[in-house]
Amino acid sequence: MQPATIGILVAAGIIVLLAVIIGIYLWATYNSLVTLKVRVDEAWSDITVQLKRRADLIPNIIEAVKGYASHESSVFQNVTAARAETIGAGTPAEASAAEGHMQTALKSIFAVAEAYPQLQASQNFLQLQSELVDTEDKIQAARRFYNGGVREFNTKNRVFPNSLFAKRLGFTERDFFEVSEPSAIAEPPRVQF
């Protein structure tokens, strides 16, 4: 073989090898982005399940408090409106805004409940409070898991060279689930047993 032919074959071999390496890299990166996207979607689903669970508790809490403080209709209306907003939230941004309103509404209903010692002694009300505390803990855990997944996914999207092709493949950054009014959750709803 002539040296020119060997040089062409070596160059062609290097080009093929680089194409294979780039192809494997793109394939692996695409699959990892898909995996992270599915994980974030699953985590969002977990959040919506817990928000729904809390929303299902709210009417029972309202009824328990109404039995003792029926004249507090504006508090009940605010809680009902916050519940509807939470159920209607479809994106993390909407859920963040709804979460701030829900926390404010829950604080107001528990402030009303504090004024009624008989209500505080009610087994039904105590059980509802316990379930609400458990649900709030689960919401926070689901939120941390979701935000961790979003952090991983967004980082994978932003790093070079992934940033060159991730958006073209349909992988857009996701929003964190943050509360739009941090003062609303600075103190959790006060639940006393």
Side-chain angles (χ1 to χ4, degrees), residues 54 98-108 136 184-185 188-189:
R54 181 180 60 193
E99 187 65 15
H101 299 142
M102 177 59 79
Q103 293 300 322
T104 302
L106 286 175
K107 284 180 185 178
S108 66
E136 291 293 336
I185 64 163

Side-chain angles (χ1 to χ4, degrees), residues 86-157:
T86 298
I87 290 173
T91 66
E94 292 171 357
S96 294
E99 187 65 15
H101 299 142
M102 177 59 79
Q103 293 300 322
T104 302
L106 286 175
K107 284 180 185 178
S108 66
I109 199 163
F110 283 114
V112 168
E114 282 181 19
Y116 298 91
Q118 309 92 329
L119 177 60
Q120 294 291 328
S122 165
Q123 266 320 103
N124 184 37
F125 187 68
L126 291 176
Q127 181 184 356
L128 289 170
Q129 283 181 321
S130 176
E131 288 179 34
L132 183 63
V133 167
D134 181 53
T135 302
E136 291 293 336
D137 289 344
K138 288 178 179 176
I139 290 170
Q140 292 308 316
R143 186 173 140 194
R144 281 190 300 274
F145 184 69
Y146 171 79
N147 284 340
V150 168
R151 182 190 65 242
E152 277 185 69
F153 181 73
N154 288 350
T155 300
K156 187 92 172 176
N157 271 328

